[in-house]
Amino acid sequence: MILTAENYYSQEANREYLSVSQYKDFCGSLGKIPCEAQALAKLNGEWEMEETTSMLVGSYVDAHFEGTLDIFRAKHPEIFTKGGQLKAEYRKAEEIINRVERDEYFMKYMSGQKQVIMTGEIGGAPWKIKIDSYLPGICIVDLKVMKAIRETFWCHDAGYMDFVQYWGYDIQGAVYQEIVRQNTGEKLPFYIAAASKEKEPDIEIIHIDDTHLFEKLTEVESNAAKIVALKENDYEPIRCERCDYCKHTKILTAPIHYSELMTDI
Ligand SMILES: [Zn+2]
């Protein structure tokens, strides 16, 4: 299957290729509980995730830099009020765009080829990636819009975490770097071009070092076979019993003890 902008997110493409978001569905990140059952239900078209405003704001900013904002606006009438004005969240997105566009250094990183699709193989499985800004021979850049760049997240086992590790953007960096290497023979540095939705938007270019990416790639390689086996229905997916899919499909058969209510996930 040849991937294009039109079919990249299709169910057919998701079934044939692994992607970073699919990987996180199956294996989680520090901040995301994995749910094999939900991940498979999504792939089989039995469960749909609702698109959050936060995701849509990210896509709005991506579309701006790709030069496809007109198409995006036409496809998403829900971003406008009844009076035809942009809703507050998207006016904020406009403000963020204006903020990063007046930073020359930030814009250098955003000057690459946009939404570049590549495929490759990791851990014996085919993968697809889509790069926000690709500067051939120089670097790979992913644009992230978030609540706050320096926000920290509490993890039971790991203590306080930065957003990069919490949301598994280091996993994304590892996969992107490896797939680009397979396509071009060059191992390029990975950067996150980050901008916040705070009252006064904050901006940073964040580097994730190759040593850390290598660690993450090793992790991905060792998990890929399991995902392929699950996608081929080789064994029963594990239910997390926490996500909306598990809540929706659970069938009670016995009471639980009250002390189980506080068991850690
Ligand atoms: Zn679940």
Side-chain angles (χ1 to χ4, degrees), residues 46-102:
E46 296 155 14
W47 186 251
E48 233 175 282
M49 304 294 283
E50 58 179 295
E51 197 166 26
T52 63
T53 302
S54 170
M55 283 156 66
L56 215 49
V57 166
S59 306
Y60 184 96
V61 177
D62 281 340
H64 168 86
F65 285 106
E66 196 192 1
T68 54
L69 198 49
D70 288 344
I71 304 167
F72 182 87
R73 287 173 170 212
K75 269 193 195 159
H76 294 280
E78 70 270 30
I79 69 175
F80 296 100
T81 63
K82 282 198 189 93
Q85 301 294 309
L86 266 183
K87 284 184 184 165
E89 294 89 347
Y90 304 94
R91 288 206 304 275
K92 189 75 205 178
E94 286 286 335
E95 191 190 327
I96 293 166
I97 290 165
N98 291 333
R99 176 63 190 92
V100 302
E101 285 187 336
R102 74 180 163 84

Side-chain angles (χ1 to χ4, degrees), residues 87-131:
K87 284 184 184 165
E89 294 89 347
Y90 304 94
R91 288 206 304 275
K92 189 75 205 178
E94 286 286 335
E95 191 190 327
I96 293 166
I97 290 165
N98 291 333
R99 176 63 190 92
V100 302
E101 285 187 336
R102 74 180 163 84
D103 192 275
E104 229 175 276
Y105 190 79
F106 193 105
M107 289 308 286
K108 264 197 235 172
Y109 286 80
M110 287 310 297
S111 68
Q113 301 167 17
K114 304 299 187 308
Q115 306 303 328
V116 176
I117 294 169
M118 289 186 192
T119 58
E121 193 227 284
I122 298 174
W127 286 72
K128 60 176 171 129
I129 64 167
K130 202 180 196 197
I131 308 169

Side-chain angles (χ1 to χ4, degrees), residues 35 38 239-243 245-246:
C35 183
Q38 187 202 59
R239 296 167 56 86
C240 75
E241 301 300 355
R242 295 289 184 276
C243 74
Y245 171 78
C246 287

Side-chain angles (χ1 to χ4, degrees), residues 11 17 19 22 24 27 50 95 102 104 106 121 142 165 174 183 203 232 236 252 260 262-263:
Q11 225 153 57
Y17 294 96
S19 66
Q22 210 181 108
K24 286 195 269 184
C27 299
E50 58 179 295
E95 191 190 327
R102 74 180 163 84
E104 229 175 276
F106 193 105
E121 193 227 284
D142 198 73
Q165 294 187 79
N183 281 271
I203 55 174
E232 285 167 1
E236 267 305 289
L252 299 186
E260 287 173 62
M262 276 184 58
T263 22

